[in-house]
Amino acid sequence: MSDVTILGAGVLGLAIATELRDRGITPRIIDPNGAPGPHGCSWWAGGMLAPHCESESAEPAVVRLGADAAEWWQAHGAQVTHRGTLVLAMSRDRAELDRFARMTDAHRTVSADDIAALEPELGTRISRGLFYETEGHLNPRQALAALRDGLHIETQGQPSGLIVDARGLSARDALPDLRGVRGEMMVIRCPEVQLTRTIRLLHPRIPLYIVPRGDGIYMLGATMLETGAKSRVTARAAVELLSAAYALHSAFAEAEILELGADARPAFPDNLPRLRRRGNTLYANGLYRHGYLLAPAVARMAADHITLGTRPEFMDEDHP
Amino acid sequence: MPVFYGTEVANPLMLGTALYPSPAIMADAFRASGAGIATVSLRREGGGGQDFHALIRGLSIPVLPNTAGCHSVREAVTTAQMARELFDTPWIKLEVIRDDDTLCPDVIALVEAARILSDDGFQVFPYCTEDLSVCGRLLDAGCQVLMPWGAPIGSGRGLNNPYGLRSLRAHFPDVPLVVDAGIGLPSHAAQAMELGYDAVLLNTAVAKAGDSVAMARAMALAIQAGQLAHAANPIEARDMAAPSTPLFGMAVLS
C-alpha cells in the first residue's frame, strides 16, 4: 500500500502522516481548512503528557498507550518539558487529594516545604500535594508546526488510494456513536508568576490545570461539558478558570488575557479511541481529552495496519 | 415500589447521570443497579447536549430532569419548561440553590417556584431540607412528593439528621419521601430505607467511586435490604442486654 490519503490535519491526522513517512510512505493530506489552526480542537489543547494523572478518570489503557508519548514527540521535533506534574488542593478540599492519590500511581506525597522547593513562587501556603515526577508537557501549537514541517496539506481535491479518515468530530457523518465533549480554555500572560511545570488544582466542581508555555504565558484549562456545542467561552467558564488560578496565586489577578478558546473533543461512549476499517477507508478517531497523549500510539497502530495488515487494539470494525 | 404522581417505578434507587468517567460506565452502572429513575441536569454542570440526552434516553427508564445550578425562581421555572420540552415529561426535580459552597436549598424560593410549576401542570419533586414547616408549605404548593437532603450534595456524609428525617416520615405518613443528596455509602442508603423512606436519590457516591458499576450494585442491594428491614418491623434499640436464650430452664451441668 503506497497510495494513502489522510483526511484531517489535526494532531491525529498529522501523527499518522508522520508515522507513514517514517515507514517510507508519503501520504496526501486533505483538510479544507488547511494547516492546523483555531478551527480544530488540537489547537486548543493543554498539551499535558500526564498519563498517570489522567488515570484518575481514564481507563488503564490510556496510561499504557501514553507511556511513550513524550519520547515520540521529542523524536518528531516537539519540545517536551520534563518537569513532572504537581497536583494540589486547598486545605478545605483535602479529601479530593486523598481520592486522587488513591486513584493514581507514580506519585509521591509532597509537603509544604517540598512544594516551595519545587515551585518557589507558591511558597509554603499549600500544606500537601502529589508530585508525578515522570510526567511532562509540550506546547501543542509548536508540536503541530513541527509535524507539519515537510508535509504538504491540500485544501481541496479528491482522495486517492486508501483513505484514512482522521477528521475528529467532523466524522460524525460516518461515525454516529461519536460525540463532542466541550472544553473551554484561556491563555494568559503573567510574567510576575514563574511556574515551571503543569499544576493541577483539585476542586469538587472545577478541576483546573495551569500549563506554563514559557515567557510568562500560561494556558488555563479546561471545562468538560457533555455537549458538542462550539459556541464561544461562557462567562461562567471564564470566571471558574480565573478564580481557580487566582486561588493558586493571587498575582494571576494581574494577568493579561490573551485568548479564550472553546471547542469540542471527539469521543466514543467509553472515551477510548477507535480504529474502524470499512472498505477503502480506515477511520481513526475518539482521542477525547487525550489528543497529544494518545496520538502517537494510535498513529502507530494505524500505520501498522496500513503497512503490515495487522489488526490493532481498539479496532472494533474490520470490513476490508 | 414507590409511586410518584400515580406512576409506579421499578426500583427505589434513583440514580444521577453526572460525573461518571464515561457514558459507557454510566450505562453499565444503571444496568448493574437496576435503578428505577435516571435524573439528568439541564444546565451546564453535569448537563449536556443532544448526544448526551440521547444516551440517557437509551437507558430506557423514566427520566427525572432537574434544575440543578438554578439560583432563582425565574431560572428554575425557565429550566423546568425547557426540560419538559426536551424530555417530554411533566416531572421535574426542583432545585433552587442558595449558596454555592453548601449547595443549600433556598427553601423560600423553592416554595414559590413549586407553586408556579404545579399550577402550570408540572409534577414537582422538590429538593428540600427536612424542615417540617417547609415540607408542609411544599405540599400546600401542590407537591405530592418530598425530597429532603441527607447531607449537602456531593458531601457523602450520610444522614446528618436522622431524627428530623424520622419525624418527617411520621408527620407525612402518606406522602412519598425520598432522601436526596449526601449519600456516600450503601449503609447510608440502607438507613434511609430503614426509616421508612420510599426511595433514595444519589449520584456522586456511585459516579466518583473507583468502580462505579460495583458501587451502583452495592447501593441497590443496600436499598433493597433497608426496604425489607423496614417492612419486617425491626425491634427497638434498648439500653440493657436482652438475652436471646431463656435463662430459666437451662440445663443443669453438675
Side-chain angles (χ1 to χ4, degrees), chain A residues 57 59 92 99 103 172 179 184 205 223 225-227 234 236 269-271, chain B residues 21-25 43-45 47-49 51-52 55 100-101 208 210:
Chain A
S57 60
E59 303 279 342
R92 62 179 217 169
R99 179 179 177 277
M103 306 280 280
R172 262 191 67 112
R179 74 186 200 287
E184 292 151 295
R205 292 198 308 277
T223 56
L225 302 160
E226 280 289 347
T227 167
T234 61
R236 176 197 290 268
D270 57 4
N271 294 341
Chain B
S22 70
I25 289 175
R43 295 180 71 85
R44 49 174 293 144
E45 287 165 89
D51 293 344
F52 190 67
L55 286 165
D100 262 338
D101 276 334
K208 289 287 206 182

PDB file of all heavy atoms in Angstrom, chain A residues 57 59 92 99 103 172 179 184 205 223 225-227 234 236 269-271, chain B residues 21-25 43-45 47-49 51-52 55 100-101 208 210:
ATOM      1  N   SER A  57      -9.508   9.353  36.013  1.00  0.00           N
ATOM      2  CA  SER A  57     -10.820   9.056  35.443  1.00  0.00           C
ATOM      3  C   SER A  57     -10.724   8.233  34.159  1.00  0.00           C
ATOM      4  O   SER A  57     -11.744   7.828  33.625  1.00  0.00           O
ATOM      5  CB  SER A  57     -11.576  10.359  35.153  1.00  0.00           C
ATOM      6  OG  SER A  57     -10.848  11.131  34.235  1.00  0.00           O
ATOM      7  N   GLU A  59      -9.379   4.988  31.603  1.00  0.00           N
ATOM      8  CA  GLU A  59      -9.130   3.546  31.648  1.00  0.00           C
ATOM      9  C   GLU A  59      -7.616   3.293  31.697  1.00  0.00           C
ATOM     10  O   GLU A  59      -6.825   4.101  31.197  1.00  0.00           O
ATOM     11  CB  GLU A  59      -9.690   2.888  30.385  1.00  0.00           C
ATOM     12  CG  GLU A  59     -11.174   3.127  30.151  1.00  0.00           C
ATOM     13  CD  GLU A  59     -12.035   2.196  30.990  1.00  0.00           C
ATOM     14  OE1 GLU A  59     -11.525   1.175  31.473  1.00  0.00           O
ATOM     15  OE2 GLU A  59     -13.227   2.515  31.167  1.00  0.00           O
ATOM     16  N   ARG A  92      -9.386  22.962  52.376  1.00  0.00           N
ATOM     17  CA  ARG A  92     -10.764  22.500  52.566  1.00  0.00           C
ATOM     18  C   ARG A  92     -11.148  21.414  51.561  1.00  0.00           C
ATOM     19  O   ARG A  92     -12.176  20.763  51.718  1.00  0.00           O
ATOM     20  CB  ARG A  92     -11.737  23.661  52.492  1.00  0.00           C
ATOM     21  CG  ARG A  92     -11.732  24.355  51.158  1.00  0.00           C
ATOM     22  CD  ARG A  92     -12.740  25.472  51.157  1.00  0.00           C
ATOM     23  NE  ARG A  92     -13.379  25.547  49.862  1.00  0.00           N
ATOM     24  CZ  ARG A  92     -14.437  26.261  49.610  1.00  0.00           C
ATOM     25  NH1 ARG A  92     -15.017  26.943  50.564  1.00  0.00           N
ATOM     26  NH2 ARG A  92     -14.950  26.289  48.417  1.00  0.00           N
ATOM     27  N   ARG A  99      -8.422  11.215  47.466  1.00  0.00           N
ATOM     28  CA  ARG A  99      -9.062  10.398  46.446  1.00  0.00           C
ATOM     29  C   ARG A  99      -8.169  10.295  45.207  1.00  0.00           C
ATOM     30  O   ARG A  99      -7.962   9.222  44.657  1.00  0.00           O
ATOM     31  CB  ARG A  99     -10.415  11.007  46.077  1.00  0.00           C
ATOM     32  CG  ARG A  99     -11.146  10.233  45.014  1.00  0.00           C
ATOM     33  CD  ARG A  99     -12.502  10.826  44.672  1.00  0.00           C
ATOM     34  NE  ARG A  99     -13.076  10.053  43.589  1.00  0.00           N
ATOM     35  CZ  ARG A  99     -12.800  10.235  42.316  1.00  0.00           C
ATOM     36  NH1 ARG A  99     -11.960  11.180  41.947  1.00  0.00           N
ATOM     37  NH2 ARG A  99     -13.343   9.469  41.390  1.00  0.00           N
ATOM     38  N   MET A 103      -6.515   6.932  43.426  1.00  0.00           N
ATOM     39  CA  MET A 103      -6.932   6.505  42.089  1.00  0.00           C
ATOM     40  C   MET A 103      -5.770   6.471  41.096  1.00  0.00           C
ATOM     41  O   MET A 103      -5.955   6.027  39.963  1.00  0.00           O
ATOM     42  CB  MET A 103      -8.006   7.456  41.537  1.00  0.00           C
ATOM     43  CG  MET A 103      -9.199   7.653  42.437  1.00  0.00           C
ATOM     44  SD  MET A 103     -10.405   6.335  42.350  1.00  0.00           S
ATOM     45  CE  MET A 103     -11.280   6.769  40.860  1.00  0.00           C
ATOM     46  N   ARG A 172     -18.523  12.696  12.321  1.00  0.00           N
ATOM     47  CA  ARG A 172     -19.806  12.221  12.866  1.00  0.00           C
ATOM     48  C   ARG A 172     -20.752  11.734  11.778  1.00  0.00           C
ATOM     49  O   ARG A 172     -21.607  10.889  12.026  1.00  0.00           O
ATOM     50  CB  ARG A 172     -20.491  13.368  13.608  1.00  0.00           C
ATOM     51  CG  ARG A 172     -20.293  13.360  15.082  1.00  0.00           C
ATOM     52  CD  ARG A 172     -21.236  14.374  15.683  1.00  0.00           C
ATOM     53  NE  ARG A 172     -22.600  13.920  15.502  1.00  0.00           N
ATOM     54  CZ  ARG A 172     -23.391  13.540  16.477  1.00  0.00           C
ATOM     55  NH1 ARG A 172     -22.987  13.618  17.707  1.00  0.00           N
ATOM     56  NH2 ARG A 172     -24.616  13.125  16.245  1.00  0.00           N
ATOM     57  N   ARG A 179     -19.315  11.518  19.829  1.00  0.00           N
ATOM     58  CA  ARG A 179     -19.983  12.688  20.395  1.00  0.00           C
ATOM     59  C   ARG A 179     -18.948  13.758  20.727  1.00  0.00           C
ATOM     60  O   ARG A 179     -17.755  13.467  20.802  1.00  0.00           O
ATOM     61  CB  ARG A 179     -20.767  12.316  21.659  1.00  0.00           C
ATOM     62  CG  ARG A 179     -19.878  12.063  22.871  1.00  0.00           C
ATOM     63  CD  ARG A 179     -20.660  11.560  24.067  1.00  0.00           C
ATOM     64  NE  ARG A 179     -19.932  11.760  25.318  1.00  0.00           N
ATOM     65  CZ  ARG A 179     -18.859  11.059  25.703  1.00  0.00           C
ATOM     66  NH1 ARG A 179     -18.383  10.113  24.932  1.00  0.00           N
ATOM     67  NH2 ARG A 179     -18.268  11.309  26.848  1.00  0.00           N
ATOM     68  N   GLU A 184     -13.408  24.412  27.454  1.00  0.00           N
ATOM     69  CA  GLU A 184     -13.134  25.847  27.346  1.00  0.00           C
ATOM     70  C   GLU A 184     -11.795  26.119  28.026  1.00  0.00           C
ATOM     71  O   GLU A 184     -11.491  25.537  29.074  1.00  0.00           O
ATOM     72  CB  GLU A 184     -14.251  26.641  28.033  1.00  0.00           C
ATOM     73  CG  GLU A 184     -15.574  26.534  27.279  1.00  0.00           C
ATOM     74  CD  GLU A 184     -16.792  26.662  28.182  1.00  0.00           C
ATOM     75  OE1 GLU A 184     -16.967  25.772  29.038  1.00  0.00           O
ATOM     76  OE2 GLU A 184     -17.540  27.637  28.035  1.00  0.00           O
ATOM     77  N   ARG A 205     -15.774  21.016  42.076  1.00  0.00           N
ATOM     78  CA  ARG A 205     -16.528  21.437  40.892  1.00  0.00           C
ATOM     79  C   ARG A 205     -15.638  21.773  39.704  1.00  0.00           C
ATOM     80  O   ARG A 205     -16.030  21.542  38.557  1.00  0.00           O
ATOM     81  CB  ARG A 205     -17.394  22.661  41.209  1.00  0.00           C
ATOM     82  CG  ARG A 205     -18.530  22.408  42.153  1.00  0.00           C
ATOM     83  CD  ARG A 205     -19.578  23.515  42.072  1.00  0.00           C
ATOM     84  NE  ARG A 205     -19.015  24.858  42.209  1.00  0.00           N
ATOM     85  CZ  ARG A 205     -18.756  25.425  43.380  1.00  0.00           C
ATOM     86  NH1 ARG A 205     -18.999  24.789  44.496  1.00  0.00           N
ATOM     87  NH2 ARG A 205     -18.255  26.636  43.434  1.00  0.00           N
ATOM     88  N   THR A 223     -12.733  23.135  30.897  1.00  0.00           N
ATOM     89  CA  THR A 223     -14.040  22.607  31.291  1.00  0.00           C
ATOM     90  C   THR A 223     -14.311  21.303  30.547  1.00  0.00           C
ATOM     91  O   THR A 223     -13.657  20.993  29.549  1.00  0.00           O
ATOM     92  CB  THR A 223     -15.157  23.612  30.986  1.00  0.00           C
ATOM     93  OG1 THR A 223     -15.090  23.944  29.603  1.00  0.00           O
ATOM     94  CG2 THR A 223     -14.996  24.865  31.811  1.00  0.00           C
ATOM     95  N   LEU A 225     -17.763  19.447  29.309  1.00  0.00           N
ATOM     96  CA  LEU A 225     -19.220  19.506  29.270  1.00  0.00           C
ATOM     97  C   LEU A 225     -19.728  18.553  28.199  1.00  0.00           C
ATOM     98  O   LEU A 225     -19.184  18.495  27.096  1.00  0.00           O
ATOM     99  CB  LEU A 225     -19.664  20.935  28.950  1.00  0.00           C
ATOM    100  CG  LEU A 225     -19.145  21.967  29.951  1.00  0.00           C
ATOM    101  CD1 LEU A 225     -19.180  23.360  29.375  1.00  0.00           C
ATOM    102  CD2 LEU A 225     -19.963  21.893  31.224  1.00  0.00           C
ATOM    103  N   GLU A 226     -20.780  17.829  28.560  1.00  0.00           N
ATOM    104  CA  GLU A 226     -21.301  16.818  27.646  1.00  0.00           C
ATOM    105  C   GLU A 226     -22.137  17.458  26.550  1.00  0.00           C
ATOM    106  O   GLU A 226     -23.344  17.296  26.483  1.00  0.00           O
ATOM    107  CB  GLU A 226     -22.125  15.790  28.419  1.00  0.00           C
ATOM    108  CG  GLU A 226     -21.280  14.744  29.120  1.00  0.00           C
ATOM    109  CD  GLU A 226     -20.622  13.753  28.156  1.00  0.00           C
ATOM    110  OE1 GLU A 226     -21.006  13.719  26.971  1.00  0.00           O
ATOM    111  OE2 GLU A 226     -19.719  13.021  28.601  1.00  0.00           O
ATOM    112  N   THR A 227     -21.474  18.187  25.700  1.00  0.00           N
ATOM    113  CA  THR A 227     -22.162  18.779  24.562  1.00  0.00           C
ATOM    114  C   THR A 227     -21.147  19.082  23.472  1.00  0.00           C
ATOM    115  O   THR A 227     -19.991  19.382  23.769  1.00  0.00           O
ATOM    116  CB  THR A 227     -22.910  20.077  24.951  1.00  0.00           C
ATOM    117  OG1 THR A 227     -23.295  20.746  23.760  1.00  0.00           O
ATOM    118  CG2 THR A 227     -22.046  21.004  25.775  1.00  0.00           C
ATOM    119  N   THR A 234     -18.172  30.757  27.759  1.00  0.00           N
ATOM    120  CA  THR A 234     -19.181  31.425  28.574  1.00  0.00           C
ATOM    121  C   THR A 234     -18.513  32.202  29.701  1.00  0.00           C
ATOM    122  O   THR A 234     -17.386  31.908  30.104  1.00  0.00           O
ATOM    123  CB  THR A 234     -20.146  30.410  29.206  1.00  0.00           C
ATOM    124  OG1 THR A 234     -19.394  29.541  30.056  1.00  0.00           O
ATOM    125  CG2 THR A 234     -20.862  29.595  28.155  1.00  0.00           C
ATOM    126  N   ARG A 236     -19.358  32.028  32.709  1.00  0.00           N
ATOM    127  CA  ARG A 236     -19.173  31.117  33.845  1.00  0.00           C
ATOM    128  C   ARG A 236     -17.824  30.391  33.765  1.00  0.00           C
ATOM    129  O   ARG A 236     -17.097  30.296  34.749  1.00  0.00           O
ATOM    130  CB  ARG A 236     -20.301  30.093  33.875  1.00  0.00           C
ATOM    131  CG  ARG A 236     -20.111  29.064  34.981  1.00  0.00           C
ATOM    132  CD  ARG A 236     -20.985  27.854  34.753  1.00  0.00           C
ATOM    133  NE  ARG A 236     -22.386  28.144  34.943  1.00  0.00           N
ATOM    134  CZ  ARG A 236     -23.031  27.985  36.100  1.00  0.00           C
ATOM    135  NH1 ARG A 236     -22.391  27.537  37.148  1.00  0.00           N
ATOM    136  NH2 ARG A 236     -24.303  28.264  36.203  1.00  0.00           N
ATOM    137  N   PRO A 269     -18.433   6.389  23.358  1.00  0.00           N
ATOM    138  CA  PRO A 269     -19.088   6.280  24.668  1.00  0.00           C
ATOM    139  C   PRO A 269     -18.176   5.855  25.824  1.00  0.00           C
ATOM    140  O   PRO A 269     -18.407   6.233  26.963  1.00  0.00           O
ATOM    141  CB  PRO A 269     -20.181   5.233  24.429  1.00  0.00           C
ATOM    142  CG  PRO A 269     -20.525   5.386  22.989  1.00  0.00           C
ATOM    143  CD  PRO A 269     -19.227   5.712  22.311  1.00  0.00           C
ATOM    144  N   ASP A 270     -17.119   5.073  25.567  1.00  0.00           N
ATOM    145  CA  ASP A 270     -16.221   4.698  26.663  1.00  0.00           C
ATOM    146  C   ASP A 270     -15.012   5.629  26.759  1.00  0.00           C
ATOM    147  O   ASP A 270     -14.090   5.379  27.529  1.00  0.00           O
ATOM    148  CB  ASP A 270     -15.765   3.237  26.527  1.00  0.00           C
ATOM    149  CG  ASP A 270     -15.075   2.971  25.195  1.00  0.00           C
ATOM    150  OD1 ASP A 270     -14.880   3.935  24.420  1.00  0.00           O
ATOM    151  OD2 ASP A 270     -14.721   1.812  24.934  1.00  0.00           O
ATOM    152  N   ASN A 271     -15.025   6.701  25.992  1.00  0.00           N
ATOM    153  CA  ASN A 271     -13.947   7.696  25.985  1.00  0.00           C
ATOM    154  C   ASN A 271     -12.596   7.111  25.588  1.00  0.00           C
ATOM    155  O   ASN A 271     -11.539   7.651  25.946  1.00  0.00           O
ATOM    156  CB  ASN A 271     -13.844   8.410  27.343  1.00  0.00           C
ATOM    157  CG  ASN A 271     -15.065   9.256  27.636  1.00  0.00           C
ATOM    158  OD1 ASN A 271     -15.810   9.603  26.726  1.00  0.00           O
ATOM    159  ND2 ASN A 271     -15.283   9.586  28.893  1.00  0.00           N
TER     160      ASN A 271
ATOM    161  N   PRO B  21     -16.876   8.493  34.752  1.00  0.00           N
ATOM    162  CA  PRO B  21     -15.682   8.553  33.895  1.00  0.00           C
ATOM    163  C   PRO B  21     -16.034   8.535  32.412  1.00  0.00           C
ATOM    164  O   PRO B  21     -15.329   9.131  31.607  1.00  0.00           O
ATOM    165  CB  PRO B  21     -14.901   7.291  34.273  1.00  0.00           C
ATOM    166  CG  PRO B  21     -15.366   6.940  35.642  1.00  0.00           C
ATOM    167  CD  PRO B  21     -16.800   7.378  35.712  1.00  0.00           C
ATOM    168  N   SER B  22     -17.099   7.836  32.038  1.00  0.00           N
ATOM    169  CA  SER B  22     -17.516   7.843  30.633  1.00  0.00           C
ATOM    170  C   SER B  22     -18.989   7.465  30.564  1.00  0.00           C
ATOM    171  O   SER B  22     -19.523   6.841  31.480  1.00  0.00           O
ATOM    172  CB  SER B  22     -16.690   6.840  29.818  1.00  0.00           C
ATOM    173  OG  SER B  22     -17.043   5.512  30.183  1.00  0.00           O
ATOM    174  N   PRO B  23     -19.659   7.824  29.467  1.00  0.00           N
ATOM    175  CA  PRO B  23     -21.059   7.426  29.307  1.00  0.00           C
ATOM    176  C   PRO B  23     -21.230   5.905  29.321  1.00  0.00           C
ATOM    177  O   PRO B  23     -22.262   5.405  29.772  1.00  0.00           O
ATOM    178  CB  PRO B  23     -21.439   8.006  27.945  1.00  0.00           C
ATOM    179  CG  PRO B  23     -20.492   9.121  27.729  1.00  0.00           C
ATOM    180  CD  PRO B  23     -19.210   8.719  28.385  1.00  0.00           C
ATOM    181  N   ALA B  24     -20.230   5.178  28.840  1.00  0.00           N
ATOM    182  CA  ALA B  24     -20.343   3.720  28.829  1.00  0.00           C
ATOM    183  C   ALA B  24     -20.388   3.181  30.263  1.00  0.00           C
ATOM    184  O   ALA B  24     -21.190   2.294  30.578  1.00  0.00           O
ATOM    185  CB  ALA B  24     -19.162   3.112  28.072  1.00  0.00           C
ATOM    186  N   ILE B  25     -19.550   3.739  31.139  1.00  0.00           N
ATOM    187  CA  ILE B  25     -19.550   3.309  32.540  1.00  0.00           C
ATOM    188  C   ILE B  25     -20.864   3.717  33.213  1.00  0.00           C
ATOM    189  O   ILE B  25     -21.430   2.964  34.000  1.00  0.00           O
ATOM    190  CB  ILE B  25     -18.322   3.886  33.277  1.00  0.00           C
ATOM    191  CG1 ILE B  25     -17.059   3.173  32.762  1.00  0.00           C
ATOM    192  CG2 ILE B  25     -18.443   3.726  34.793  1.00  0.00           C
ATOM    193  CD1 ILE B  25     -15.755   3.715  33.305  1.00  0.00           C
ATOM    194  N   ARG B  43     -28.740  22.165  33.031  1.00  0.00           N
ATOM    195  CA  ARG B  43     -27.762  23.245  32.975  1.00  0.00           C
ATOM    196  C   ARG B  43     -26.373  22.659  32.813  1.00  0.00           C
ATOM    197  O   ARG B  43     -26.181  21.456  32.827  1.00  0.00           O
ATOM    198  CB  ARG B  43     -27.890  24.126  34.200  1.00  0.00           C
ATOM    199  CG  ARG B  43     -29.226  24.832  34.210  1.00  0.00           C
ATOM    200  CD  ARG B  43     -29.370  25.713  35.407  1.00  0.00           C
ATOM    201  NE  ARG B  43     -28.511  26.879  35.290  1.00  0.00           N
ATOM    202  CZ  ARG B  43     -28.856  27.990  34.654  1.00  0.00           C
ATOM    203  NH1 ARG B  43     -30.018  28.064  34.062  1.00  0.00           N
ATOM    204  NH2 ARG B  43     -28.051  29.013  34.616  1.00  0.00           N
ATOM    205  N   ARG B  44     -25.377  23.523  32.702  1.00  0.00           N
ATOM    206  CA  ARG B  44     -24.087  23.040  32.235  1.00  0.00           C
ATOM    207  C   ARG B  44     -23.369  22.116  33.203  1.00  0.00           C
ATOM    208  O   ARG B  44     -22.694  21.201  32.784  1.00  0.00           O
ATOM    209  CB  ARG B  44     -23.197  24.197  31.841  1.00  0.00           C
ATOM    210  CG  ARG B  44     -23.126  25.294  32.867  1.00  0.00           C
ATOM    211  CD  ARG B  44     -22.114  26.315  32.443  1.00  0.00           C
ATOM    212  NE  ARG B  44     -20.790  25.759  32.463  1.00  0.00           N
ATOM    213  CZ  ARG B  44     -19.839  26.054  31.604  1.00  0.00           C
ATOM    214  NH1 ARG B  44     -20.095  26.879  30.629  1.00  0.00           N
ATOM    215  NH2 ARG B  44     -18.659  25.518  31.695  1.00  0.00           N
ATOM    216  N   GLU B  45     -23.500  22.306  34.485  1.00  0.00           N
ATOM    217  CA  GLU B  45     -22.764  21.442  35.397  1.00  0.00           C
ATOM    218  C   GLU B  45     -23.336  20.032  35.347  1.00  0.00           C
ATOM    219  O   GLU B  45     -24.407  19.778  35.877  1.00  0.00           O
ATOM    220  CB  GLU B  45     -22.829  21.977  36.824  1.00  0.00           C
ATOM    221  CG  GLU B  45     -21.984  23.205  37.011  1.00  0.00           C
ATOM    222  CD  GLU B  45     -22.333  23.933  38.291  1.00  0.00           C
ATOM    223  OE1 GLU B  45     -21.753  23.610  39.311  1.00  0.00           O
ATOM    224  OE2 GLU B  45     -23.197  24.807  38.233  1.00  0.00           O
ATOM    225  N   GLY B  47     -24.651  18.696  32.959  1.00  0.00           N
ATOM    226  CA  GLY B  47     -25.705  18.602  31.962  1.00  0.00           C
ATOM    227  C   GLY B  47     -25.129  18.282  30.608  1.00  0.00           C
ATOM    228  O   GLY B  47     -23.979  17.922  30.482  1.00  0.00           O
ATOM    229  N   GLY B  48     -25.907  18.387  29.591  1.00  0.00           N
ATOM    230  CA  GLY B  48     -25.324  18.044  28.318  1.00  0.00           C
ATOM    231  C   GLY B  48     -26.174  18.412  27.131  1.00  0.00           C
ATOM    232  O   GLY B  48     -27.258  18.966  27.258  1.00  0.00           O
ATOM    233  N   GLY B  49     -25.647  18.078  25.988  1.00  0.00           N
ATOM    234  CA  GLY B  49     -26.308  18.377  24.735  1.00  0.00           C
ATOM    235  C   GLY B  49     -27.080  17.186  24.223  1.00  0.00           C
ATOM    236  O   GLY B  49     -27.309  16.212  24.940  1.00  0.00           O
ATOM    237  N   ASP B  51     -26.455  14.709  22.169  1.00  0.00           N
ATOM    238  CA  ASP B  51     -25.880  13.365  22.176  1.00  0.00           C
ATOM    239  C   ASP B  51     -26.008  12.734  23.552  1.00  0.00           C
ATOM    240  O   ASP B  51     -26.349  11.567  23.691  1.00  0.00           O
ATOM    241  CB  ASP B  51     -24.391  13.414  21.808  1.00  0.00           C
ATOM    242  CG  ASP B  51     -24.190  13.834  20.370  1.00  0.00           C
ATOM    243  OD1 ASP B  51     -25.175  13.788  19.607  1.00  0.00           O
ATOM    244  OD2 ASP B  51     -23.067  14.209  20.020  1.00  0.00           O
ATOM    245  N   PHE B  52     -25.730  13.544  24.577  1.00  0.00           N
ATOM    246  CA  PHE B  52     -25.782  13.018  25.934  1.00  0.00           C
ATOM    247  C   PHE B  52     -27.227  12.690  26.309  1.00  0.00           C
ATOM    248  O   PHE B  52     -27.506  11.646  26.907  1.00  0.00           O
ATOM    249  CB  PHE B  52     -25.192  14.032  26.911  1.00  0.00           C
ATOM    250  CG  PHE B  52     -24.981  13.470  28.288  1.00  0.00           C
ATOM    251  CD1 PHE B  52     -24.045  12.476  28.498  1.00  0.00           C
ATOM    252  CD2 PHE B  52     -25.733  13.921  29.362  1.00  0.00           C
ATOM    253  CE1 PHE B  52     -23.851  11.940  29.775  1.00  0.00           C
ATOM    254  CE2 PHE B  52     -25.538  13.389  30.627  1.00  0.00           C
ATOM    255  CZ  PHE B  52     -24.600  12.408  30.837  1.00  0.00           C
ATOM    256  N   LEU B  55     -28.153   9.430  24.947  1.00  0.00           N
ATOM    257  CA  LEU B  55     -27.604   8.319  25.751  1.00  0.00           C
ATOM    258  C   LEU B  55     -28.498   8.047  26.962  1.00  0.00           C
ATOM    259  O   LEU B  55     -28.743   6.901  27.330  1.00  0.00           O
ATOM    260  CB  LEU B  55     -26.194   8.670  26.248  1.00  0.00           C
ATOM    261  CG  LEU B  55     -25.064   8.628  25.219  1.00  0.00           C
ATOM    262  CD1 LEU B  55     -23.826   9.347  25.737  1.00  0.00           C
ATOM    263  CD2 LEU B  55     -24.722   7.183  24.882  1.00  0.00           C
ATOM    264  N   ASP B 100     -23.335  28.431  46.852  1.00  0.00           N
ATOM    265  CA  ASP B 100     -22.578  27.505  46.010  1.00  0.00           C
ATOM    266  C   ASP B 100     -21.675  26.558  46.791  1.00  0.00           C
ATOM    267  O   ASP B 100     -21.314  25.503  46.291  1.00  0.00           O
ATOM    268  CB  ASP B 100     -21.728  28.287  45.006  1.00  0.00           C
ATOM    269  CG  ASP B 100     -22.426  28.362  43.660  1.00  0.00           C
ATOM    270  OD1 ASP B 100     -23.287  27.492  43.401  1.00  0.00           O
ATOM    271  OD2 ASP B 100     -22.112  29.263  42.875  1.00  0.00           O
ATOM    272  N   ASP B 101     -21.279  26.939  47.980  1.00  0.00           N
ATOM    273  CA  ASP B 101     -20.367  26.074  48.724  1.00  0.00           C
ATOM    274  C   ASP B 101     -21.087  24.947  49.457  1.00  0.00           C
ATOM    275  O   ASP B 101     -20.558  23.853  49.588  1.00  0.00           O
ATOM    276  CB  ASP B 101     -19.531  26.890  49.712  1.00  0.00           C
ATOM    277  CG  ASP B 101     -18.318  27.489  49.019  1.00  0.00           C
ATOM    278  OD1 ASP B 101     -17.887  26.895  48.007  1.00  0.00           O
ATOM    279  OD2 ASP B 101     -17.816  28.526  49.458  1.00  0.00           O
ATOM    280  N   LYS B 208     -18.257   8.762  41.351  1.00  0.00           N
ATOM    281  CA  LYS B 208     -16.870   9.049  41.719  1.00  0.00           C
ATOM    282  C   LYS B 208     -16.205   7.897  42.464  1.00  0.00           C
ATOM    283  O   LYS B 208     -15.049   8.026  42.896  1.00  0.00           O
ATOM    284  CB  LYS B 208     -16.810  10.319  42.570  1.00  0.00           C
ATOM    285  CG  LYS B 208     -17.098  11.591  41.771  1.00  0.00           C
ATOM    286  CD  LYS B 208     -15.925  11.919  40.881  1.00  0.00           C
ATOM    287  CE  LYS B 208     -15.860  13.396  40.565  1.00  0.00           C
ATOM    288  NZ  LYS B 208     -14.747  13.678  39.660  1.00  0.00           N
ATOM    289  N   GLY B 210     -14.227   4.402  42.805  1.00  0.00           N
ATOM    290  CA  GLY B 210     -13.203   3.827  41.931  1.00  0.00           C
ATOM    291  C   GLY B 210     -13.816   2.850  40.944  1.00  0.00           C
ATOM    292  O   GLY B 210     -13.380   2.762  39.796  1.00  0.00           O
TER     293      GLY B 210
END
